[in-house]
Short mmCIF file of all heavy atoms in Angstrom, two decimals:
data_model
loop_
_atom_site.label_atom_id
_atom_site.label_comp_id
_atom_site.label_asym_id
_atom_site.label_seq_id
_atom_site.Cartn_x
_atom_site.Cartn_y
_atom_site.Cartn_z
N SER J 39 102.78 71.96 43.03
CA SER J 39 101.55 72.01 42.24
C SER J 39 100.38 72.44 43.11
O SER J 39 99.55 73.26 42.70
CB SER J 39 101.28 70.64 41.64
OG SER J 39 100.04 70.63 40.99
N SER J 40 100.31 71.93 44.31
CA SER J 40 99.24 72.29 45.23
C SER J 40 99.32 73.77 45.61
O SER J 40 98.29 74.46 45.66
CB SER J 40 99.33 71.43 46.49
OG SER J 40 98.33 71.80 47.41
N ASP J 41 100.53 74.28 45.84
CA ASP J 41 100.70 75.69 46.18
C ASP J 41 100.24 76.59 45.03
O ASP J 41 99.57 77.60 45.24
CB ASP J 41 102.16 76.00 46.50
CG ASP J 41 102.61 75.39 47.83
OD1 ASP J 41 101.74 74.99 48.61
OD2 ASP J 41 103.83 75.33 48.06
N LEU J 42 100.60 76.22 43.80
CA LEU J 42 100.19 77.02 42.64
C LEU J 42 98.68 77.00 42.47
O LEU J 42 98.06 78.01 42.15
CB LEU J 42 100.87 76.50 41.38
CG LEU J 42 102.35 76.79 41.26
CD1 LEU J 42 102.93 76.07 40.04
CD2 LEU J 42 102.61 78.27 41.17
N GLU J 43 98.08 75.84 42.68
CA GLU J 43 96.64 75.74 42.56
C GLU J 43 95.95 76.62 43.60
O GLU J 43 94.97 77.30 43.30
CB GLU J 43 96.20 74.29 42.73
CG GLU J 43 94.73 74.08 42.52
CD GLU J 43 94.32 72.62 42.62
OE1 GLU J 43 95.19 71.75 42.51
OE2 GLU J 43 93.12 72.39 42.82
N ASP J 44 96.48 76.63 44.82
CA ASP J 44 95.91 77.48 45.88
C ASP J 44 95.97 78.94 45.49
O ASP J 44 95.03 79.71 45.71
CB ASP J 44 96.64 77.26 47.21
CG ASP J 44 96.34 75.90 47.83
OD1 ASP J 44 95.37 75.25 47.39
OD2 ASP J 44 97.11 75.50 48.73
N GLU J 45 97.08 79.36 44.88
CA GLU J 45 97.23 80.76 44.47
C GLU J 45 96.24 81.12 43.37
O GLU J 45 95.66 82.20 43.36
CB GLU J 45 98.65 81.02 43.98
CG GLU J 45 99.68 81.07 45.08
CD GLU J 45 101.08 81.34 44.54
OE1 GLU J 45 101.19 81.99 43.50
OE2 GLU J 45 102.03 80.88 45.18
N MET J 46 96.04 80.21 42.42
CA MET J 46 95.14 80.48 41.30
C MET J 46 93.68 80.49 41.73
O MET J 46 92.87 81.19 41.15
CB MET J 46 95.34 79.44 40.19
CG MET J 46 96.68 79.55 39.51
SD MET J 46 96.97 78.44 38.10
CE MET J 46 95.94 77.06 38.36
N MET J 47 93.35 79.73 42.75
CA MET J 47 91.97 79.61 43.17
C MET J 47 91.59 80.66 44.22
O MET J 47 90.46 80.69 44.68
CB MET J 47 91.70 78.21 43.74
CG MET J 47 91.95 77.10 42.73
SD MET J 47 90.93 77.26 41.26
CE MET J 47 89.44 76.52 41.84
N GLY J 48 92.51 81.51 44.58
CA GLY J 48 92.23 82.53 45.59
C GLY J 48 91.13 83.47 45.15
O GLY J 48 90.92 83.70 43.97
N THR J 49 90.41 84.04 46.12
CA THR J 49 89.28 84.91 45.79
C THR J 49 89.65 86.38 45.77
O THR J 49 88.84 87.22 45.43
CB THR J 49 88.14 84.71 46.82
OG1 THR J 49 88.66 84.99 48.11
CG2 THR J 49 87.61 83.29 46.77
N ARG J 50 90.88 86.69 46.12
CA ARG J 50 91.30 88.10 46.17
C ARG J 50 91.42 88.66 44.76
O ARG J 50 92.16 88.16 43.94
CB ARG J 50 92.64 88.20 46.90
CG ARG J 50 93.10 89.60 47.07
CD ARG J 50 94.34 89.65 47.96
NE ARG J 50 94.83 90.99 47.99
CZ ARG J 50 96.05 91.32 47.60
NH1 ARG J 50 96.88 90.42 47.21
NH2 ARG J 50 96.42 92.58 47.64
N SER J 51 90.71 89.70 44.49
CA SER J 51 90.73 90.34 43.18
C SER J 51 91.95 91.24 43.05
O SER J 51 92.26 92.03 43.94
CB SER J 51 89.48 91.17 42.98
OG SER J 51 89.58 91.92 41.79
N VAL J 52 92.62 91.12 41.94
CA VAL J 52 93.80 91.95 41.69
C VAL J 52 93.40 93.41 41.55
O VAL J 52 94.08 94.30 42.02
CB VAL J 52 94.54 91.47 40.43
CG1 VAL J 52 95.69 92.39 40.08
CG2 VAL J 52 95.05 90.05 40.61
N LEU J 53 92.26 93.67 40.92
CA LEU J 53 91.84 95.05 40.69
C LEU J 53 91.41 95.75 41.97
O LEU J 53 91.32 96.97 42.00
CB LEU J 53 90.71 95.09 39.67
CG LEU J 53 91.11 94.68 38.26
CD1 LEU J 53 89.88 94.70 37.35
CD2 LEU J 53 92.19 95.58 37.70
#
Side-chain angles (χ1 to χ4, degrees):
S39 174
S40 178
D41 290 345
L42 288 173
E43 184 177 342
D44 289 345
E45 286 181 29
M46 292 184 334
M47 300 301 277
T49 58
R50 184 172 174 239
S51 172
V52 175
L53 292 178

